[in-house]
Amino acid sequence: MAPLATSSVPIAFAETAFSSGNSHAAIDLLTREEGALRRIIQRYVRDAATVDDVYQEVSLKVLKRIDSVRDLAALRGWLFQLARNACLDYLRREDRRQGLSHDVLAEHTASGDLGRNPGEQFLSRERVSAVRRALDHLPTSQREVLLLRIDEGLDHEAIAERLHISRQAVEVRLCRGRAALKNQLEDIMRGAL
Amino acid sequence: MSGSPVDHTNDEQTSRDLTCEEVAALLPLVADGALDAAADPALFTHLARCCECQDDLMLYDLVTVALEATRPATADSSVSRQREPKREPIRHVFLPWPAALAASLAVAVGLWMWLASMQPGRTAHTAPATQVVQVVGADGQPVYVVVQGDQVTVIDPRAIDGKAPANQPQVTPVKFNTAPAATTP
């Protein structure tokens, strides 16, 4: 797979941005990193208008929070996290808006268009149901940890207390369960493409 | 995933370079929200420039969104309950027993007095006191003022003796609205 062709941020520029905290530096940073940010967003939402919206959201967050970043080496990672979080927020909003209605599913099924990007495909009722079914087939130890985490919103410490196991055991089970579901989803999507 | 898709050109130097295998082991925790750029800058720096790891993380993220979308309604309410701020319990204030007893007695006595005043033939002032006061009249002669309840009677002793002027009444009843507490010396 081709590597990301992102332009790096010159050290002098970044230092200026962090020390002065002015918005011009942030805008300059966004200009240089726009391509990389858009490529990250396009992994989650490929519709051009939506990509623009999400990018706009990310830009605003960069302008507001650039002063909080002190670790120059972590600049790209920080930008990646902002973009990913904005994409997840969008997917969750979209999911609530559509409510995974039968109308949306029927429309997609009738047209044979399950969406061009993974996110859009994923928001079909069939995909969502398939993941939930895959969860039901996980080993009990992994399933109960995931249910407590996702359905009840407990953190790792609380899950460990509830199940009388160590926090490390909780994280191991979470990782294995999530990895199994991710592989299942990968198979589903590969089959659909 | 051996780290080959990572773009190292014009890259900032990080404290350590992670391989894709190392990152793959951490992706479930990233999707879980347990790791972020502040907690592990090297991990996110790798993610920012590695296409394959980004693809993997995207799948993990989609699993999370799917599970959240199919969260049972009861689980939704339990999660929302957890996120709701705890309400202060209603506090019941109990009086100490002597104060409670005194209050009860006061209410009972008040009720008894009210019921007693409501009985027929009985009033709060059943027998108005009678006062007789001797005062000096306008002509300098003594007269008697008899006060009974709200009724005042002025008695001229000369009328009793037959010395009073013929045109003056023997008694002069007067009614007051207020209680006859104040009397003229």
Side-chain angles (χ1 to χ4, degrees):
Chain A
M1 189 172 288
L4 277 177
T6 53
S7 59
S8 66
V9 181
I11 301 253
F13 159 77
E15 282 174 346
T16 304
F18 293 142
S19 59
S20 64
N22 62 51
S23 58
H24 294 295
I27 292 169
D28 197 8
L29 170 65
L30 281 169
T31 305
R32 291 167 189 270
E33 293 294 319
E34 180 176 353
L37 286 172
R38 283 185 178 276
R39 276 188 288 277
I40 293 166
I41 295 168
Q42 282 168 353
R43 291 183 183 282
Y44 292 84
V45 282
R46 206 167 288 171
D47 171 67
T50 307
V51 170
D52 285 343
D53 290 344
V54 176
Y55 176 73
Q56 190 72 18
E57 200 174 313
V58 174
S59 303
L60 289 173
K61 286 180 180 173
V62 169
L63 286 168
K64 284 180 184 173
R65 302 181 188 172
I66 193 165
D67 289 342
S68 67
V69 180
R70 290 288 175 267
D71 185 0
L72 186 62
L75 178 62
R76 276 186 168 181
W78 178 72
L79 286 175
F80 172 79
Q81 179 171 271
L82 282 185
R84 170 178 168 256
N85 287 345
C87 292
L88 287 176
D89 288 345
Y90 165 78
L91 289 178
R92 288 178 177 128
R93 279 199 309 269
E94 192 66 11
D95 172 62
R96 283 195 296 271
R97 191 181 66 79
Q98 293 186 356
L100 298 172
S101 66
H102 287 287
D103 295 341
V104 173
L105 173 63
E107 184 182 324
H108 282 190
T109 307
S111 64
D113 176 20
L114 292 174
R116 289 187 305 151
N117 71 77
E120 287 170 2
Q121 287 179 27
F122 183 74
L123 284 178
S124 73
R125 196 179 190 86
E126 290 154 332
R127 301 287 185 281
V128 170
S129 300
V131 172
R132 182 55 76 161
R133 282 197 303 274
L135 174 66
D136 293 338
H137 289 98
L138 284 180
T140 306
S141 61
Q142 297 172 15
R143 187 175 65 249
E144 65 183 358
V145 169
L146 274 169
L147 287 174
L148 289 172
R149 180 76 180 123
I150 301 285
D151 289 357
E152 297 197 24
L154 299 182
D155 61 18
H156 297 182
E157 202 67 48
I159 296 172
E161 284 180 18
R162 176 82 69 90
L163 299 179
H164 305 293
I165 58 178
S166 68
R167 181 174 176 158
Q168 287 73 22
V170 170
E171 291 177 352
V172 167
R173 293 181 189 185
L174 273 176
C175 286
R176 287 179 180 167
R178 283 185 180 276
L181 293 180
K182 174 249 182 188
N183 291 335
Q184 188 79 19
L185 177 64
E186 201 170 13
D187 290 344
I188 293 170
M189 294 175 71
R190 192 178 292 127
L193 290 174
Chain B
M1 289 191 295
S2 62
S4 56
V6 178
D7 176 20
H8 287 286
T9 56
N10 296 325
D11 208 4
E12 305 102 14
Q13 290 299 310
T14 55
S15 56
R16 63 190 176 104
D17 287 329
L18 293 172
T19 66
C20 288
E21 284 79 8
E22 290 172 320
V23 171
L26 296 172
L27 288 183
L29 290 176
V30 175
D32 194 71
L35 289 176
D36 60 16
D40 197 337
L43 170 63
F44 277 77
T45 300
H46 178 103
L47 281 170
R49 63 194 190 211
C50 178
C51 296
E52 284 195 9
C53 290
Q54 285 181 12
D55 282 341
D56 279 349
L57 179 58
M58 186 264 299
L59 287 171
Y60 277 111
D61 285 340
L62 294 184
V63 166
T64 302
V65 174
L67 292 177
E68 289 173 355
T70 53
R71 193 161 35 202
T74 51
D76 269 339
S77 61
S78 73
V79 170
S80 62
R81 269 202 307 275
Q82 283 188 334
R83 288 172 184 164
E84 281 178 0
K86 285 184 180 177
R87 293 178 180 174
E88 286 291 323
I90 298 171
R91 291 184 178 182
H92 297 276
V93 178
F94 295 100
L95 288 173
W97 71 266
L101 181 63
S104 303
L105 282 174
V107 171
V109 169
L111 186 63
W112 177 78
M113 290 178 68
W114 178 72
L115 287 173
S117 69
M118 294 298 289
Q119 287 179 0
R122 296 192 64 178
T123 60
H125 305 285
T126 53
T130 302
Q131 283 184 302
V132 180
V133 181
Q134 186 184 26
V135 298
V136 179
D139 56 354
Q141 296 299 316
V143 293
Y144 297 95
V145 178
V146 180
V147 180
Q148 189 172 25
D150 58 349
Q151 190 167 357
V152 178
T153 306
V154 178
I155 300 173
D156 189 342
R158 289 173 296 172
I160 298 171
D161 296 339
K163 298 176 184 177
N167 58 346
Q168 284 189 357
Q170 290 187 352
V171 295
T172 308
V174 180
K175 278 204 168 184
F176 290 88
N177 289 327
T178 56
T183 55
T184 307

